[in-house]
């Protein structure tokens, strides 16, 4: 018997990017555990990833290439060989390119893995799609709004080191539910609390995390920037702004101050629905507590004004000077900090077409149904499940049903999206392939060494596209680079934060902290904006036709009175505790724990008005579609708001999930989706 311990990393779309250890006995993975040596994730995985190996050997795993044998959407397939699959794909692509040009091909990359080799961070296969002259893909579904907003204010999406929450005296969880969506930050939050820090949660829902806080404010969804301005009004009223920081490190303070003065606590209360006394009390607490740290993640920016929300939230530590203090500032993501060489990975110089058309990930239905210059003729779905995860489910289904569309899905499981494929290609899972990772919630890089051989005929994404390139007669050697070679190219950016981090070292140690200064205060000495300062007022924003001054942009549906008259309830569909987006949505035990389909939390006042009680099956609907849920009547949501969770597979939930009612609508900045900015009515089923 031989036994090996192989170091790897969780690839899922979660800020924590856990380090793990796989025990391999006689070539078989028998155990997968958190790596106790990792300073951020410290050996603990989550309820979902604890079932990783169980998932890998689930009976529904796709092990062979498949060709559609039924109608699109029906999910009937026959097994074919890799040779047949590659021949068919290459033949179809050659014909499509001849007739419509390369831009009729759309590589639709999702977030199933964030790896730099196999997944979204490195856009696996991008070199091949460049060589084919394919359309570009704007991967805006998750954090584009917030990242764009932050770029205007602080120059980059990356914020404070989450480990430094341990040094904060006041922590504000602002539209963030870490006990569900990335629990390792909690270690550092708890360390701060043991030292006396106060914890506030700002969330329309009393989440798992909010329930642990010292104080909870429940604003109307999408009104956070107005709340931030109201809080700053109190801070400035007390003269608690950091004049020295404002003078040395910010741009446009007098104009921003005028804006703050427009948002009195009573006006902020009227917009947000948060009591005026609570705004005054929290404003006073911020005024007197240094350092204050804000954890604002993606929930707060899934609204029409979501870009402005982050743009304005990042101004708060600009006014208090907390960006210069350890344990102060704002943490949205850390992904701006690891400076891997994307250009070397992407090789956009291989692109062969004319000006490149870029299609929006969040508007798949629209692009499939309406794009005509040229129409999308071939869709590659790579580590994505858009039927489950993308807005306006019915339009997505309609688009994917087009007879003239050739759809290839690279997948591990027969998802709601795979059901629409012409060809399904069997994909490896993380412990079966190599990858390079950063976390978007910490400052460590990781190497994931393959632990076992893939089952059946599964191939990694990189290998799939190497083979397809050859089959298509493309002979540029860059299309054949090995995984190790790609990783070396990504690491060779020459940036000081990557100094001393080689593939050899990563392989040996599993993970390495970026070579950042200690402590890491990214903006203590200046900001990567055009002025080198935190920009309350942005010329770039003005140039893009936006308000030059950071401020409040209202949501699209939540505060629209006409829509509210037709659909009185605002729906939030945030992270499910038991799934990771739609990954694990087909795991029996996790499905059972999640209640076997969506639930819907509703305030007792709203339930009484509809004669509904807990346990009742309801239909959640608007003019775009409907989904079914089981009602949970609770005062854990504010009146006027209902809450469900994302990630449920439509095929196990009566044919639809929350995205049946979500609009294809762009956020103010970054072109992101507006999942939590959706109005509905709820009725008995
Ligand atoms: N268990 C689990 N973990 C996950 C995921 C998962 O599906 N399951 N998904 C992963 C991914 S892809 C991402 S992007 C992150 C997302 O994780 P988060 O950043 O936490 O984002 P959400 O889950 O969308 O929403 C977080 C909270 O914001 C609240 N919220 C919604 N609208 C508003 C608002 O207008 N204002 C305020 N103040 N709060 C609001 C919601 O009620 C919710 O409690 O988590 C990752 N981690
Ligand atoms: N209503 C609502 N919808 C949402 C959200 C919300 O808050 N509310 N959140 C949005 C967010 S934040 C995100 S990031 C998106 C995510 O949306 P998607 O990017 O579509 O992610 P998933 O639905 O998880 O689908 C990922 C798929 O990749 C597959 N996969 C995993 N690893 C690999 C691999 O190595 N190779 C291949 N080929 N496949 C792999 C998995 O089996 C899974 O089916 O969802 C969004 N959808
Ligand atoms: Mo996400």
């Amino acid at each position: 018997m031989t036994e090996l311990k192989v170091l790897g990393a969780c690839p899922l779309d979660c800020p924590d990017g856990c380090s793990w250890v796989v025990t391999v006995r006689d070539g078989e993975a028998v155990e997968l555990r958190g790596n106790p040596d990792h300073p951020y994730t410290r050996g603990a995985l989550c309820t979902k990833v604890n079932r990783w190996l169980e998932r890998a050997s689930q009976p529904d795993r796709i092990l062979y290439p498949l060709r559609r044998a039924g109608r699109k959407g029906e999910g009937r397939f026959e097994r074919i060989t890799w040779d047949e699959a590659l021949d068919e794909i290459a033949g179809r692509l050659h014909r499509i390119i001849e007739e419509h040009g390369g831009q009729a091909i759309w590589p639709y990359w999702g977030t199933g893995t964030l790896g730099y080799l196999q997944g979204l961070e490195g856009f696996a296969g991008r070199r091949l799609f460049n060589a084919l002259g394919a359309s570009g893909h704007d991967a805006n579904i998750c954090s584009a709004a917030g990242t764009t907003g932050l770029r205007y204010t602080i120059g980059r999406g990356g914020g404070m080191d989450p480990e430094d929450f341990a040094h904060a005296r006041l922590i504000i969880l602002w539209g963030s539910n870490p006990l569900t969506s990335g629990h390792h930050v909690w270690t550092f939050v708890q360390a701060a609390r043991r030292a006396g820090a106060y914890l506030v949660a700002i969330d329309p829902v009393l989440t798992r995390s909010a329930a642990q806080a010292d104080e909870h404010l429940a604003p109307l969804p999408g009104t956070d920037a107005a709340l931030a301005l109201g809080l700053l009004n109190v801070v400035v009223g007390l003269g608690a702004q950091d004049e020295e920081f404002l003078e040395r490190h910010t741009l446009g303070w007098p104009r921003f101050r005028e804006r703050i003065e427009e948002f009195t606590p009573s006006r902020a209360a009227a917009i947000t629905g948060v009591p005026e006394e609570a705004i005054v009390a929290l404003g006073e607490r911020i005024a007197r507590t240094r350092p204050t740290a804000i954890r604002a993640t993606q929930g707060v920016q899934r609204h029409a004004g979501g870009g402005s929300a982050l743009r304005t939230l990042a101004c708060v530590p600009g006014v208090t000077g907390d960006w210069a203090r350890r344990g102060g500032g704002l943490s949205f993501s850390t992904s701006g900090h690891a400076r891997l060489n994307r250009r070397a990975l992407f090789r956009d110089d291989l692109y062969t077409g004319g000006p490149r058309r870029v299609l929006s990930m969040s508007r798949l239905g629209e692009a499939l149904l309406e794009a005509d210059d040229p129409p999308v003729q071939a869709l590659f779905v790579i580590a994505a499940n858009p039927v489950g995860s993308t807005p306006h489910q019915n339009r997505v289904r309609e688009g994917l049903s087009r007879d003239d569309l050739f759809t290839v899905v690279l997948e591990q499981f027969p998802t709601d999206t795979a059901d629409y494929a012409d060809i399904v290609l069997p994909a490896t899972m993380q412990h079966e392939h190599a990858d390079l990772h950063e976390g978007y919630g910490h400052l460590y890089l990781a190497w994931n060494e393959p632990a076992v051989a893939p089952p059946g005929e599964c191939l990694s994404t990189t290998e799939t596209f190497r083979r397809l390139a050859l089959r298509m007669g493309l002979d540029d050697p860059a299309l054949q680079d090995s995984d190790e070679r790609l990783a070396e190219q990504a690491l060779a950016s020459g940036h000081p934060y990557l100094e001393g981090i080689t593939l050899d070292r990563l392989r040996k140690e599993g993970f390495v902290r970026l070579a950042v200064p200690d402590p890491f205060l990214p903006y203590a000495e200046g900001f990567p904006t055009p002025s080198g300062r935190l920009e309350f007022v942005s010329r770039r924003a003005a140039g893009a036709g936006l308000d030059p001054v950071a401020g409040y942009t209202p949501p699209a549906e939540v505060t629209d009175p006409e829509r509210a008259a037709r659909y009185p309830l605002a729906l939030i569909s945030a992270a499910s505790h038991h799934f990771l987006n739609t990954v694990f949505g087909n795991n029996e035990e996790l499905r059972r724990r999640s209640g076997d389909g969506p639930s819907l939390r509703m305030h007792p006042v709203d339930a009484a008005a509809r004669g509904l009680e807990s346990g009742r099956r309801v239909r959640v609907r608007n003019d775009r579609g409907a989904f079914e849920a089981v009602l949970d009547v609770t005062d854990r949501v504010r009146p006027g708001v209902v809450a469900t969770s994302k990630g449920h597979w439509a095929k196990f939930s009566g044919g639809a999930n929350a995205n049946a009612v979500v609009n294809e609508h762009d956020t103010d900045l970054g072109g992101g989706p507006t999942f939590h900015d959706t109005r509905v009515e709820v009725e008995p089923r």
Side-chain angles (χ1 to χ4, degrees):
M1 187 183 84
T2 59
E3 187 171 290
L4 270 149
K5 303 266 186 204
V6 183
L7 292 174
C10 180
L12 296 178
D13 186 353
C14 163
D16 294 8
C18 287
S19 174
W20 73 30
V21 186
V22 187
T23 307
V24 181
R25 207 170 288 149
D26 295 331
E28 206 189 317
V30 293
E31 191 177 76
L32 186 153
R33 293 225 159 163
N35 181 354
D37 299 333
H38 193 279
Y40 191 76
T41 61
R42 302 186 179 189
L45 299 174
C46 62
T47 39
K48 312 167 293 294
V49 175
N50 279 326
R51 296 183 174 272
W52 188 270
L53 294 181
E54 179 184 306
R55 174 174 147 89
S57 55
Q58 270 178 217
D60 56 344
R61 178 97 190 253
I62 295 169
L63 298 173
Y64 306 99
L66 304 172
R67 180 194 285 128
R68 183 163 56 84
R71 272 180 301 105
K72 290 197 176 192
E74 200 181 323
R76 271 205 297 132
F77 292 95
E78 62 188 16
R79 180 174 165 183
I80 55 174
T81 65
W82 267 101
D83 268 337
E84 289 171 309
L86 290 173
D87 278 342
E88 186 159 335
I89 296 168
R92 280 296 282 264
L93 292 185
H94 280 308
R95 283 203 298 282
I96 287 169
I97 292 169
E98 220 163 86
E99 247 176 76
H100 302 273
Q103 301 223 33
I105 304 168
W106 183 3
Y108 189 96
W109 286 279
T111 65
T113 158
L114 294 186
Y116 270 83
L117 307 183
Q118 310 300 341
L120 185 67
E121 293 293 359
F123 287 103
R126 180 157 168 149
R127 290 179 177 185
L128 169 62
F129 290 103
N130 278 331
L132 296 176
S135 280
H137 175 73
D138 185 0
N140 52 23
I141 204 159
C142 180
S143 56
T147 303
T148 310
L150 290 171
R151 277 193 195 126
Y152 285 119
T153 304
I154 60 173
R156 186 175 296 142
M160 60 179 281
D161 180 353
E163 289 179 54
D164 281 347
F165 277 103
H167 299 278
R169 305 285 303 164
L170 169 60
I171 298 174
I172 304 178
L173 300 175
W174 203 323
S176 187
N177 178 15
L179 285 181
T180 281
S181 58
H183 66 87
H184 296 88
V185 75
W186 207 254
T187 313
F188 304 94
V189 171
Q190 288 298 75
R193 295 180 91 188
R194 279 195 298 277
Y198 190 81
L199 180 66
V200 179
I202 301 178
D203 197 309
V205 182
L206 184 76
T207 60
R208 261 173 212 260
S209 312
Q212 300 289 317
D214 297 300
E215 187 178 331
H216 173 223
L217 306 187
L220 270 174
T223 62
D224 300 273
L227 182 58
L229 291 164
L231 294 169
L232 286 175
N233 186 290
V234 178
V235 170
V236 172
L238 293 168
Q241 66 272 23
D242 183 333
E243 294 290 353
E244 197 197 323
F245 186 86
L246 288 167
E247 171 72 25
R248 279 190 57 201
H249 291 306
T250 72
L251 184 75
W253 171 237
R255 280 177 79 189
F256 187 54
R257 185 180 177 141
E258 281 168 27
R259 172 131 310 157
I260 290 171
E261 275 157 11
E262 293 163 14
F263 282 81
T264 58
S266 72
R267 181 172 173 216
I271 296 171
T272 62
V274 174
E276 187 178 338
E277 313 78 70
I279 297 176
V280 171
L282 181 57
E284 289 174 356
R285 193 180 284 281
I286 294 172
R288 65 170 186 266
T289 317
R290 304 276 69 74
T292 289
I294 298 173
R295 174 75 161 182
T297 49
Q298 289 77 30
V300 73
Q301 45 104 65
R302 307 201 203 283
H303 299 272
S308 296
L310 262 300
R311 186 181 169 197
T312 299
L313 259 58
C315 295
V316 174
V319 175
T320 59
D322 276 326
W323 279 119
R325 296 186 184 92
R326 186 172 202 188
L330 179 141
S331 149
F332 175 71
S333 159
T334 52
S335 49
H337 298 316
R339 308 297 169 69
L340 292 164
N341 194 343
R342 287 166 180 252
R343 188 152 20 124
L345 264 186
F346 289 174
R347 291 295 306 271
D348 285 343
D349 57 302
L350 297 172
Y351 180 70
T352 52
R356 196 202 293 255
R357 169 176 72 177
V358 177
L359 296 165
S360 166
M361 179 173 185
S362 305
R363 302 181 78 117
L364 173 63
E366 176 190 78
L368 292 180
L369 294 170
E370 293 174 17
D372 59 1
D373 190 22
V376 178
Q377 292 293 317
L379 181 73
F380 277 77
V381 179
I382 307 154
N385 182 10
V387 172
S389 290
T390 301
H392 216 328
Q393 201 157 62
N394 289 329
R395 262 165 76 87
V396 171
R397 285 191 191 279
E398 196 187 329
L400 289 173
S401 303
R402 268 177 41 201
D403 270 337
D404 61 333
L405 178 71
F406 179 62
T407 302
V408 179
V409 175
L410 282 66
E411 251 304 345
Q412 300 157 342
F413 291 97
T415 61
D416 290 314
T417 305
D419 286 351
Y420 288 86
D422 293 285
I423 302 280
V424 181
L425 299 176
T428 43
M429 285 175 65
Q430 181 81 346
H431 61 298
E432 301 153 0
H433 60 223
D435 219 331
L436 174 70
H437 287 265
E438 61 174 345
Y440 64 90
H442 60 59
L443 297 172
Y444 303 83
L445 293 183
W447 174 254
N448 176 76
E449 181 74 13
V452 297
E457 294 178 2
C458 294
L459 289 183
S460 67
T461 311
T462 43
E463 182 58 21
T464 299
F465 288 130
R466 283 189 286 259
R467 292 191 189 183
L468 181 58
L470 288 178
R471 197 61 59 114
M472 293 203 66
L474 297 165
D475 53 12
D476 192 310
L479 304 178
Q480 296 302 320
D481 278 350
S482 68
D483 291 351
E484 287 74 11
R485 180 91 193 91
L486 291 168
E488 281 162 355
Q489 291 162 1
L491 288 167
S493 72
H495 193 278
Y497 289 178
L498 294 177
E499 206 184 309
I501 307 183
T502 59
L503 180 56
D504 279 348
R505 181 165 166 216
L506 274 172
R507 251 194 170 141
K508 211 173 295 149
E509 300 173 25
F511 59 86
V512 177
R513 186 171 167 89
L514 294 173
V516 293
D518 179 27
F520 181 54
L521 304 178
Y523 309 121
E525 295 306 324
F527 293 84
T529 55
S531 64
R533 291 160 170 258
L534 180 145
E535 298 194 348
F536 295 125
V537 176
S538 161
R539 268 212 203 169
R540 264 188 311 180
L546 302 163
D547 190 337
V549 188
Y552 164 59
T553 303
E557 298 199 0
V558 174
T559 52
D560 173 353
E562 218 168 276
R563 194 128 184 112
R566 289 165 68 200
Y567 304 111
L569 299 165
L571 175 74
I572 290 176
S573 49
S576 152
H577 198 73
H578 304 284
F579 311 137
L580 195 297
N581 293 320
T582 67
V583 179
F584 292 104
N586 58 330
N587 178 281
E588 270 187 35
E589 174 58 18
L590 292 171
R591 251 174 75 198
R592 192 186 61 72
R593 288 195 207 171
S594 79
D596 246 335
S599 71
L600 186 78
R601 281 168 285 170
M602 180 186 277
H603 193 272
V605 168
D606 294 319
R610 291 166 180 76
L612 297 170
E613 65 291 328
S614 274
R616 187 72 183 255
R617 276 205 87 80
V618 293
R619 207 168 151 258
V620 184
R621 65 164 179 89
N622 62 21
D623 45 353
R624 295 180 279 268
F627 69 98
E628 288 176 17
V630 175
L631 196 68
D632 174 12
V633 178
T634 167
D635 58 8
R636 289 180 160 233
V637 285
R638 56 164 295 142
V641 173
V642 285
T644 185
S645 53
K646 64 174 168 175
H648 299 271
W649 285 32
K651 61 170 90 172
F652 302 139
S653 313
N657 68 15
N659 284 320
V661 294
V662 171
N663 198 11
E664 283 180 311
H665 182 94
D666 289 352
T667 50
D668 53 345
L669 310 176
T674 56
F675 295 112
H676 306 334
D677 190 353
T678 301
R679 281 200 161 273
V680 295
E681 181 52 292
V682 177
E683 59 203 15
R685 225 199 99 226

